[in-house]
Amino acid sequence: QVQLVESGGGLVQAGGSLRLSCQASGRTSSSYHMGWFRQAPGKEREFVVVISWNGGVTVYADSVKGRFTISRDNAKNTVYLQMNVLKPEDTAVYYCASGPTYTTQAARFSYWGQGTQVTVAS
């Protein structure tokens, strides 16, 4: 089993920045791909970004491209999401996910964190 714990969420004004972290523990594997998803109230969980196990390949949702940056430190079993120029529509619970499949589909990730709330005030 792999446990994922997100941190770094909070309240920020529009145009501001936040950095989310996701710490993996348990039977961690540096060969696992990592992703971030988000879910706003009353909406489906949506893909934000995925990073390959070695950090060499990333895919971003169009809605965050150019504003968000994902990175990972395998020595620390941690993945980061730097979020800049935040907008009110970025308000959501952000979830970290991990698994052996490189995918943008939530159902294909094996492990999930509990989520961290990001609120962007206008």
Side-chain angles (χ1 to χ4, degrees):
Q1 283 286 58
V2 175
Q3 293 78 44
L4 301 174
V5 178
E6 302 95 335
S7 61
L11 173 64
V12 64
Q13 294 293 316
S17 299
L18 282 174
R19 188 175 84 151
L20 306 183
S21 299
C22 174
Q23 172 77 52
S25 62
R27 292 190 174 186
T28 58
S29 171
S30 59
S31 65
Y32 278 9
H33 311 297
M34 304 287 291
W36 287 95
F37 291 76
R38 66 187 182 186
Q39 187 166 18
K43 294 188 176 181
E44 296 286 321
R45 188 170 298 191
E46 67 171 352
F47 166 76
V48 176
V49 60
V50 61
I51 187 168
S52 62
W53 69 273
N54 63 355
V57 184
T58 57
V59 175
Y60 291 87
D62 287 343
S63 58
V64 306
K65 201 173 293 183
R67 300 188 298 122
F68 290 11
T69 303
I70 191 171
S71 60
R72 65 187 296 165
D73 184 340
N74 285 345
K76 297 181 178 179
N77 293 319
T78 301
V79 64
Y80 305 96
L81 183 64
Q82 178 67 44
M83 305 186 295
N84 298 327
V85 194
L86 282 160
K87 305 175 181 180
E89 51 264 44
D90 294 318
T91 295
V93 177
Y94 283 70
Y95 297 91
C96 174
S98 175
T101 303
Y102 187 78
T103 179
T104 62
Q105 300 175 34
R108 300 183 69 187
F109 277 91
S110 303
Y111 305 102
W112 290 85
Q114 293 300 305
T116 185
Q117 176 70 48
V118 171
T119 302
V120 184
S122 58

